[in-house]
Amino acid sequence: MKRILLTMLSAMVVFVLVACSGNKVDDLTSKKYITKAEEIVSLLNKGKYKEVHAMFDNQMKTGLPEEQMTKLTPIIKESGNFEEIDKSSVEEKDGLYIVILVAKYSKENRVFTLSFNNKEEVAGLFIK
């Protein structure tokens, strides 16, 4: 089941994987989107999926219904206790702001890739 969810999330944000060729953003924009992404990671860590789902754009809301988000719980829990965001970066590509956060947990690290549209809604979410 975990594999299906990860595959679905991957398919929804496949465009994020080419983010390496995106444009760098200014410090103010970078800080703004890193803060938003960190908030989402914090909510995910607490299992507050309804709040995260409310931040999705329409395509994400359809592609990842709120009730399916509970399948993220085992992925996050197997990482251990959240410790800190170790690294972060922001790029702009095709009108999306792509934030990559490396989250340090007590057992293993997770890489969160979040994409935000021009309305500051979550247009992509990938957890590795």
Side-chain angles (χ1 to χ4, degrees), residues 70-121:
T70 58
K71 295 176 184 172
L72 296 172
T73 300
I75 297 167
I76 294 170
K77 285 197 180 211
E78 73 185 24
S79 303
N81 294 322
F82 175 76
E83 294 178 359
E84 66 181 345
I85 298 296
D86 195 31
K87 297 178 186 174
S88 59
S89 67
V90 181
E91 293 183 346
E92 186 273 329
K93 181 167 176 61
D94 299 328
L96 294 173
Y97 291 95
I98 300 160
V99 182
I100 299 172
L101 299 176
V102 178
K104 184 176 178 183
Y105 291 83
S106 59
K107 293 182 182 174
E108 63 183 303
N109 293 344
R110 292 285 178 196
V111 178
F112 290 83
T113 304
L114 296 104
S115 301
F116 294 91
N117 64 19
N118 60 357
K119 296 178 185 176
E120 301 180 13
E121 298 169 321

Side-chain angles (χ1 to χ4, degrees), residues 26-40:
D26 62 80
D27 288 341
L28 186 61
T29 302
S30 180
K31 185 176 180 176
K32 172 179 154 181
Y33 284 101
I34 287 171
T35 300
K36 286 183 162 301
E38 287 176 343
E39 177 187 355
I40 290 168

Side-chain angles (χ1 to χ4, degrees), residues 58-76:
N58 288 333
Q59 186 175 356
M60 280 291 294
K61 285 179 180 175
T62 302
L64 183 59
E66 183 182 334
E67 54 275 1
Q68 286 188 355
M69 291 183 71
T70 58
K71 295 176 184 172
L72 296 172
T73 300
I75 297 167
I76 294 170

